[in-house]
Coordinates of all heavy atoms in Angstrom, one line a residue:
N25 N 0.8 26.1 -20.1 CA 0.7 25.1 -18.9 C -0.6 24.5 -18.8 O -0.7 23.3 -18.6 CB 1.0 25.9 -17.6 CG 2.4 26.4 -17.6 OD1 3.3 26.1 -18.4 ND2 2.7 27.1 -16.5
C26 N -1.7 25.2 -19.0 CA -3.0 24.6 -18.8 C -3.3 23.5 -19.8 O -3.8 22.4 -19.4 CB -4.1 25.7 -18.9 SG -4.2 26.8 -17.5
D27 N -3.0 23.7 -21.0 CA -3.2 22.6 -22.0 C -2.4 21.4 -21.7 O -2.9 20.3 -21.7 CB -2.8 23.1 -23.4 CG -3.7 24.1 -24.0 OD1 -4.9 24.3 -23.5 OD2 -3.4 24.8 -25.0
Y28 N -1.1 21.6 -21.3 CA -0.3 20.5 -20.9 C -0.8 19.7 -19.7 O -0.9 18.5 -19.6 CB 1.1 21.0 -20.6 CG 2.1 19.8 -20.2 CD1 2.7 19.1 -21.2 CD2 2.3 19.5 -18.9 CE1 3.5 18.0 -20.8 CE2 3.1 18.5 -18.5 CZ 3.7 17.7 -19.5 OH 4.6 16.7 -19.2
Y29 N -1.2 20.5 -18.6 CA -1.7 19.9 -17.4 C -3.0 19.1 -17.6 O -3.2 18.0 -17.1 CB -2.0 21.0 -16.3 CG -0.7 21.7 -15.9 CD1 -0.8 23.0 -15.4 CD2 0.5 21.1 -15.8 CE1 0.3 23.7 -15.0 CE2 1.6 21.7 -15.4 CZ 1.5 23.0 -14.9 OH 2.7 23.7 -14.5
R30 N -3.9 19.7 -18.4 CA -5.2 19.0 -18.7 C -4.9 17.8 -19.5 O -5.6 16.7 -19.3 CB -6.1 20.0 -19.4 CG -6.6 21.1 -18.5 CD -7.6 22.0 -19.3 NE -8.0 23.1 -18.5 CZ -8.0 24.3 -18.9 NH1 -7.6 24.6 -20.1 NH2 -8.4 25.3 -18.0
E31 N -4.0 17.8 -20.5 CA -3.7 16.7 -21.3 C -3.2 15.5 -20.5 O -3.5 14.3 -20.8 CB -2.6 17.0 -22.3 CG -2.2 15.9 -23.3 CD -1.1 16.4 -24.2 OE1 -1.2 17.5 -24.7 OE2 -0.3 15.5 -24.5
H32 N -2.5 15.8 -19.4 CA -1.9 14.8 -18.5 C -2.8 14.5 -17.3 O -2.4 13.8 -16.4 CB -0.5 15.2 -18.1 CG 0.4 15.0 -19.3 ND1 0.7 16.0 -20.2 CD2 1.2 14.0 -19.7 CE1 1.5 15.6 -21.1 NE2 1.9 14.4 -20.8
G33 N -4.0 15.1 -17.2 CA -4.9 14.8 -16.1 C -4.4 15.2 -14.7 O -4.7 14.6 -13.7
L34 N -3.7 16.3 -14.7 CA -3.1 16.8 -13.4 C -4.2 17.2 -12.5 O -5.1 17.9 -12.8 CB -2.1 18.0 -13.7 CG -1.4 18.5 -12.5 CD1 -0.4 17.4 -11.9 CD2 -0.6 19.8 -12.9
C35 N -4.1 16.8 -11.2 CA -5.0 17.2 -10.2 C -4.3 17.1 -8.8 O -3.3 16.4 -8.7 CB -6.3 16.4 -10.2 SG -6.1 14.7 -9.9
F36 N -4.8 17.8 -7.8 CA -4.2 17.8 -6.5 C -5.2 17.5 -5.4 O -6.4 18.0 -5.5 CB -3.6 19.2 -6.2 CG -2.5 19.5 -7.2 CD1 -2.7 20.2 -8.4 CD2 -1.2 19.2 -6.9 CE1 -1.7 20.5 -9.3 CE2 -0.1 19.4 -7.8 CZ -0.4 20.1 -9.0
G37 N -4.9 16.7 -4.5 CA -5.8 16.5 -3.3 C -5.7 15.0 -2.9 O -5.0 14.2 -3.5
P38 N -6.4 14.7 -1.8 CA -6.4 13.3 -1.3 C -7.3 12.4 -2.0 O -8.2 11.8 -1.5 CB -6.9 13.6 0.2 CG -7.8 14.7 0.1 CD -7.2 15.6 -1.0

Side-chain angles (χ1 to χ4, degrees):
N25 295 354
C26 285
D27 289 345
Y28 180 85
Y29 295 149
R30 288 181 186 132
E31 179 182 324
H32 288 86
L34 185 66
C35 61
F36 297 90

